[in-house]
Amino acid sequence: MAEIIPMPAAAPGKKKKTVRCRQADIDAVPFGSGDWSVEDVPGLILRAGAAVKTWRVQRRINGRLAKKVLGPMSAAEARRAALKTWASLKPAPADGRLTLGEAWARFIEERPLAEKTKQLYRYNLEKYLIDFKQQRLDKLGEDRAGVRSLCLRLRRQHGDGIASQVLRQFRAVYSYWRRVMPDLPENPAVAAEIPSTRSRDWALSDDELRAWWAGVQRLRSPVKRTFWATMLLTGARRDSVRLLRWQDVDFERKTLRFSTAKAGRTYSVPMSGWLTRLLERWRGECAPDCEHVFESPKRPGRPLSIQVRNDKQGICSAHHLRHTARTKLAELGCPPDLARVALGHALSGDVSRGYITPGLLIEAARPLFERLAERYAEILGWDDAAA
């Protein structure tokens, strides 16, 4: 194995370039473009030199950044080599057994989780499982009564939502390591009755929608008013819209591409006539060299920061609009699979649904987005210049 070489920390504020570990995507990376972080293989870096593309594994071990150069190879070979290399680099616990804290950290590192999901895992460990953090996994596996007591305490002190979230994460981490270490006892979470959480009734009624729109109109910032109108007309997640770049907006084909979405999925949606006119007007008001569709007025070159909700203005959280869009689509008779495509939901649940290619259904969804926009226009009393 090659020598582990200390690496300097990345320059603060430097933007990381990412690419998927697919040969077509790797081939598309331009020569001379430098380092690219591979999204779906933690620690794998592609170096695009002037004439050759090479790979390396780069990870932090006990606070020390280390690397191993793999050299030029195909994307598939690089993936296999990275996983094998990391397995050899991982430090083993002193007694050969993992503590919950160590298992938790390595689970986060090795699983293809979104950054927000990783942050939530870390927070829950430090907030709710701190008393279990230094305990060994095998000992926790024998302590069913302790895990059951934890669940009951979380439900009593913090509610069913927190208890369900924390215990489900605990169960996932323990099950992950039991597949690696089959001698671990059965998952102790089987002794806890993890509460199920009901879906929130967050869709806005027509009256609530009109009150929300009035709040949006009271906002002084044009970029925020445009942002919220785009949220309404797409039904997308907050960060999917907030992080849009102009390169993701295709005015010729009238489509939007959301490159930031849950679980790393990207998806595209058709733009209704209302949304197209809105963004065309907004493009004319933005600086010509502006990268982000919704650039922060206080931090040029950075995306807009948006509060989860703004009660003073009567503006609910962005996810209420997502629930509203799904409810309105059902009202308009949208087929369930097409609604999943429109909202960027995972196409899972059965084999047949997994055969659906969302990108081929953009035009099939276009009439639904037009009808959705017309329904909003009717409720909110828009004219051609209102949205």
Side-chain angles (χ1 to χ4, degrees):
M1 188 183 78
E3 179 185 2
I4 299 175
I5 306 170
M7 294 286 292
K14 187 176 181 180
K15 186 177 177 181
K16 183 190 294 184
K17 295 174 291 188
T18 62
V19 63
R20 289 183 294 178
C21 196
R22 299 193 318 178
Q23 194 59 52
D25 293 338
I26 300 303
D27 291 342
V29 171
F31 286 104
S33 57
D35 285 355
W36 294 72
S37 178
V38 179
E39 294 177 356
D40 42 352
V41 185
L44 183 59
I45 306 293
L46 173 71
R47 175 72 177 178
V52 180
K53 297 176 183 178
T54 59
W55 303 83
R56 72 175 184 271
V57 178
Q58 182 173 304
R59 303 291 283 268
R60 191 169 295 279
I61 303 174
N62 294 330
R64 177 170 172 249
L65 198 62
K67 76 170 184 178
K68 178 184 175 183
V69 177
L70 303 177
M73 58 183 67
S74 70
E77 290 170 334
R79 179 192 292 272
R80 290 193 294 269
L83 295 176
K84 183 177 180 181
T85 299
W86 175 235
S88 67
L89 291 176
K90 286 185 293 190
D95 60 358
R97 293 290 185 177
L98 285 173
T99 64
L100 178 64
E102 292 165 339
W104 205 272
R106 286 170 57 178
F107 174 87
I108 294 171
E109 185 72 22
E110 295 173 20
R111 296 288 295 157
L113 304 175
E115 188 56 40
K116 282 192 174 180
T117 304
K118 293 179 181 180
Q119 292 172 5
L120 187 59
Y121 265 85
R122 295 186 187 106
Y123 176 83
N124 285 340
L125 176 67
E126 298 297 332
K127 176 72 174 180
Y128 303 111
L129 297 173
I130 192 66
D131 294 339
F132 293 79
K133 184 177 177 180
Q134 298 305 322
Q135 293 189 37
R136 285 176 17 182
L137 275 190
D138 56 329
K139 297 299 182 184
L140 278 174
E142 297 169 355
D143 188 16
R144 293 190 179 192
V147 173
R148 178 179 175 81
S149 176
L150 168 69
C151 182
L152 294 173
R153 176 166 55 82
L154 290 176
R155 294 185 69 175
R156 183 174 63 254
Q157 296 180 357
H158 304 283
D160 285 354
I162 292 296
S164 175
Q165 183 183 97
V166 173
L167 266 295
R168 289 179 192 279
Q169 288 183 355
F170 174 90
R171 184 173 63 186
V173 171
Y174 191 96
S175 296
Y176 178 79
W177 286 105
R178 192 166 185 251
R179 291 195 294 271
V180 178
M181 299 181 290
D183 58 327
L184 283 175
E186 185 180 10
N187 197 319
V190 298
E193 294 185 13
I194 301 178
S196 58
T197 54
R198 294 190 304 172
S199 298
R200 297 182 175 115
D201 293 328
W202 271 6
L204 303 180
S205 68
D206 291 357
D207 286 340
E208 289 171 332
L209 198 56
R210 282 187 279 267
W212 169 85
W213 181 245
V216 171
Q217 296 302 98
R218 287 192 293 270
L219 293 173
R220 295 180 180 179
S221 170
V223 63
K224 289 185 178 180
R225 293 198 298 270
T226 308
F227 166 84
W228 284 111
T230 304
M231 286 291 310
L232 179 68
L233 290 168
T234 59
R237 297 176 180 88
R238 181 184 60 169
D239 279 355
S240 295
V241 174
R242 188 178 69 86
L243 300 177
L244 270 174
R245 291 176 165 83
W246 284 114
Q247 66 185 26
D248 299 321
V249 184
D250 191 330
F251 287 114
E252 183 178 346
R253 293 185 173 86
K254 296 185 178 181
T255 60
L256 281 183
R257 179 179 180 273
F258 294 119
S259 55
T260 300
K262 193 173 183 179
R265 291 187 298 269
T266 62
Y267 70 104
S268 297
V269 297
M271 292 195 294
S272 65
W274 286 96
L275 181 57
T276 302
R277 292 191 294 273
L278 172 75
L279 292 180
E280 283 177 340
R281 287 198 297 269
W282 180 240
R283 186 69 183 103
E285 296 177 25
C286 294
D289 59 348
C290 181
E291 177 187 6
H292 294 279
V293 176
F294 304 108
E295 184 177 87
S296 171
K298 296 180 180 179
R299 300 184 301 166
R302 301 291 297 277
L304 181 69
S305 294
I306 288 289
Q307 293 176 301
V308 174
R309 58 191 299 156
N310 189 336
D311 292 330
K312 291 183 179 179
Q313 295 287 354
I315 299 175
C316 59
S317 74
H319 222 65
H320 283 75
L321 301 181
R322 190 162 170 80
H323 283 237
T324 303
R326 182 62 184 92
T327 302
K328 292 299 182 188
L329 286 171
E331 179 185 305
L332 295 170
C334 178
D337 285 340
L338 207 52
R340 290 186 179 92
V341 170
L343 295 180
H345 281 141
L347 291 167
S348 58
D350 59 49
V351 173
S352 176
R353 188 167 291 140
Y355 286 0
I356 296 174
T357 301
L360 300 180
L361 295 177
I362 293 177
E363 292 308 314
R366 187 176 297 280
L368 290 163
F369 275 86
E370 293 289 355
R371 291 169 63 193
L372 179 64
E374 291 296 336
R375 181 72 181 112
Y376 285 144
E378 177 187 345
I379 294 169
L380 300 176
W382 287 347
D383 56 28
D384 287 342

